[in-house]
Amino acid sequence: MQPTSTVALAAFAFAALVLGALAIWRVRRRRRVAGGGKLSEQRFDRLTGLLTRTAFENLLSGALAKAEKTKREVCVVYVGLDGFKAVNDAHGHEFGDKVLVASVERLSSVCAEGTLLCRVAGDEFAILFNAPLETSKKFAGRLVDLFGNGMQVDDQHISVTLSAGLAECPQHGSSVRVLGRAASAMTSVKISGGGAYAVFDPGVELKQREELAIARELRQALSRNQFELMFQPKIDASSLQVTAVEALLRWKHPKLGAVSPEKFIPIAERHGLIEGIGNWVLEAALKHAAEWRRTGLRMRVAINVSRFQMRQDDFAARVEDGLKLHKLQANRFTCEITESVAMENTAVTRRAFTRLEKVGVHISIDDFGTGYSSLSALHKMPANELKIDRAFVTDMPHSAEARAIVKAVVQMAQALNLRVVAEGVETELQRDMLVHAGCNELQGYLFAKPMTAQAITLWAQEAPKSLLQAFRPSLFKETNGPQLH
């Protein structure tokens, strides 16, 4: 072996020893800080070396009891990583573990000597901070800022931020409840978008209990046949004839009445219920499309695809199998994916787009203009159309900025050979401005409100054309896919 090689190997071995020793020192130090070295190995988390929840709660009870005797105020700061699940799904659990370890190093770097820090579960941690509420709020702000720009792990920039919730003892309850209330405050931050902190609010806790009640009802909604699809027509901008429909989910609750998707879909996503609901929507939309085809109406049907469906390995296969089962052409079926999901650009979403492209379905980027799309990202994406967010359509008549944005979106789409759909059209002035701007399709209450599949059938076959919007003649005869819009 050459001398230089020997030196290099020795240097590498020395560096490995130093890094290993540092890692062991950090774990031991965290254990000394947490419990004075008296706690057993089983009471520490194997991955991070932090206290487990059980060990933390035991020490927390004693610390809070002591604080009550001395009339001191102490706070529990409950923190959770924002976006960690997406990282785990996209890069795998081994990489996710590295992100957790790096996150713990950051948390430990700002925790003072004597501070209790534990890993509650997954990507959630708790800190006992020996200070009154106002000081604890500043500490929580530091934690949020510490994660504000994401982190670098294995030469990859990871966009993981932090949400924090605070509960003070004795103001917010005894030691039995303070940890749960800090967690409740953290959850309220996550629901609002994350990357911030909040102090426990009894009103927020009440809303969370209401959400849990809705989640319990949602779990039974499918088996109780409480969901229904409504369909809103899409109109060709040049001929003003019906060309397609978008499937819109409705929940008919026996006691609550009609529950808005804006209310129950986020709850379904947060409670792991969206997969079953999304599968039902897909199957129901395909079934209705097949029924229309049997009656002679061959119309493009669109469904909304959630970020959770885009992370399912079998989603594209489900679409393909459903199309084959119902004998439907893939290019007459549209998957509408929000811009924020489309721009995630993770390995999982890229793979999902590739698979959907191979299936041959029509891909639409929904709510366009509300995110941060780049021209290069759109150019690489297998999309067929952009759907302008309704907020810009609403503002067009009285906002020069909204008109400029719509015009720019249309021009960009034309340059990329993409169609443009505008939703939320409610006035003739909006319609005329969108047609003038060059939009291809329009959708909104000006033309039709969402209606049942049966109503669509009756409208297409029996309603007087002089009273209602006409259907495009090509929808009633066999044509090649590219001729349909």
Side-chain angles (χ1 to χ4, degrees):
M1 183 180 291
Q2 297 297 321
T4 52
S5 300
T6 304
V7 172
L9 282 173
F12 177 80
F14 178 74
L17 284 171
V18 170
L19 290 173
L22 278 172
I24 293 170
W25 174 82
R26 285 166 178 156
V27 169
R28 288 177 175 172
R29 179 182 180 277
R30 282 197 291 269
R31 291 173 177 171
R32 287 198 303 272
V33 168
K38 297 178 181 179
L39 296 177
S40 65
E41 292 291 318
Q42 288 77 12
R43 300 181 73 183
F44 292 97
D45 178 62
R46 292 181 180 179
L47 175 66
T48 64
L50 297 180
L51 285 168
T52 61
R53 177 171 185 151
T54 302
F56 180 81
E57 287 178 337
N58 290 337
L59 291 172
L60 178 63
S61 297
L64 294 183
K66 183 178 179 181
E68 286 183 25
K69 287 181 180 179
T70 57
K71 305 298 182 185
R72 292 177 56 200
E73 296 173 326
V74 293
C75 281
V76 170
V77 184
Y78 197 104
V79 301
L81 302 181
D82 306 320
F84 176 74
K85 187 179 185 303
V87 171
N88 225 12
D89 291 344
H91 301 282
H93 293 287
E94 185 177 344
F95 185 83
D97 286 348
K98 292 181 180 180
V99 173
L100 288 174
V101 171
S103 299
V104 168
E105 291 298 331
R106 287 196 178 189
L107 292 172
S108 300
S109 69
V110 294
C111 288
E113 192 78 22
T115 299
L116 289 182
L117 172 61
C118 92
R119 184 186 183 192
V120 178
D123 61 347
E124 296 182 356
F125 307 88
I127 304 165
L128 175 62
F129 195 63
N130 294 299
L133 184 60
E134 288 305 313
T135 305
S136 298
K137 285 163 67 174
K138 293 178 182 178
F139 172 70
R142 281 186 67 196
L143 293 179
V144 171
D145 291 341
L146 197 63
F147 286 76
N149 296 318
M151 64 178 65
Q152 205 77 13
V153 178
D154 284 356
D155 297 326
Q156 292 195 60
H157 181 77
I158 305 301
S159 298
V160 171
T161 56
L162 181 139
S163 295
L166 293 84
E168 184 186 40
C169 189
Q171 179 184 342
H172 294 137
S174 64
S175 60
V176 177
R177 305 194 67 180
V178 71
L179 182 62
R181 289 185 162 173
S184 174
M186 186 274 292
T187 301
S188 70
V189 175
K190 280 186 172 288
I191 291 173
S192 300
Y197 72 87
V199 178
F200 169 73
D201 181 347
V204 171
E205 188 177 48
L206 177 61
K207 290 180 181 178
Q208 289 175 356
R209 284 201 294 268
E210 291 174 351
E211 176 174 312
L212 286 174
I214 291 176
R216 284 194 296 270
E217 295 286 343
L218 268 176
R219 292 183 190 279
Q220 306 297 323
L222 278 175
S223 60
R224 293 174 179 173
N225 198 30
Q226 294 175 354
F227 287 126
E228 181 183 26
L229 283 187
M230 304 291 280
F231 297 89
Q232 187 171 34
K234 296 182 180 181
I235 311 299
D236 180 76
S238 57
S239 67
L240 297 182
Q241 294 177 321
V242 178
T243 57
V245 291
E246 178 185 357
L248 301 169
L249 182 62
R250 298 290 183 262
W251 181 16
K252 301 178 297 179
H253 193 280
K255 294 181 180 179
L256 302 175
V259 184
S260 168
E262 285 74 18
K263 182 174 184 179
F264 73 80
I265 290 296
I267 294 175
E269 291 177 341
R270 288 193 290 270
H271 291 266
L273 304 173
I274 197 64
E275 180 177 348
I277 294 173
N279 291 338
W280 181 88
V281 169
L282 172 62
E283 175 56 29
L286 290 170
K287 181 180 177 181
H288 286 305
E291 290 172 352
W292 283 324
R293 192 184 191 284
R294 284 193 290 270
T295 61
L297 180 58
R298 298 165 178 85
M299 184 165 48
R300 185 186 299 282
V301 177
I303 64 166
N304 293 285
V305 179
S306 73
R307 69 176 67 244
F308 294 90
Q309 288 173 293
M310 289 292 284
R311 292 173 186 163
Q312 290 176 303
D313 285 336
D314 65 342
F315 176 67
R318 282 179 177 273
V319 174
E320 185 174 24
D321 291 345
L323 289 166
K324 289 179 179 177
L325 176 65
H326 294 288
K327 297 180 173 60
L328 296 170
Q329 288 183 233
N331 57 14
R332 287 197 179 101
F333 192 74
T334 298
C335 289
E336 295 192 3
I337 301 159
T338 62
E339 181 186 15
S340 59
V341 174
M343 291 303 120
E344 281 184 353
N345 196 32
T346 64
V348 174
T349 55
R350 287 196 300 271
R351 189 162 57 244
F353 271 114
T354 300
R355 289 173 177 173
L356 288 173
E357 183 183 25
K358 288 181 179 178
V359 173
V361 297
H362 191 85
I363 298 176
S364 175
I365 307 302
D366 198 7
D367 298 336
F368 192 80
T370 59
Y372 302 94
S373 298
S374 67
L375 191 63
S376 60
L378 278 174
H379 179 65
K380 296 175 183 177
M381 196 175 298
N384 304 98
E385 72 178 30
L386 303 180
K387 198 170 185 184
I388 298 174
D389 186 72
R390 65 178 62 245
F392 300 115
V393 174
T394 300
D395 291 346
M396 277 187 75
H398 53 266
S399 169
E401 184 180 24
R403 292 193 293 273
I405 290 172
V406 170
K407 184 178 180 180
V409 169
V410 172
Q411 290 177 342
M412 180 176 64
Q414 290 172 344
L416 295 173
N417 197 29
L418 303 176
R419 294 176 58 77
V420 180
V421 180
E423 61 181 343
V425 185
E426 298 184 354
T427 69
E428 293 182 355
L429 178 58
Q430 291 171 349
R431 176 199 66 193
D432 294 342
M433 296 177 78
L434 291 164
V435 171
H436 180 72
C439 288
N440 302 106
E441 283 185 329
L442 309 174
Q443 182 181 351
Y445 282 11
L446 176 65
F447 308 104
K449 293 183 178 181
M451 61 187 77
T452 63
Q454 184 181 15
I456 291 283
T457 303
L458 293 174
W459 182 9
Q461 294 184 338
E462 301 174 9
K465 296 297 189 289
S466 59
L467 297 179
L468 295 169
Q469 203 76 37
F471 280 69
R472 190 168 183 157
S474 63
L475 300 180
F476 297 92
K477 60 185 179 181
E478 291 289 352
T479 56
N480 293 326
Q483 290 178 295
L484 289 179
H485 298 296

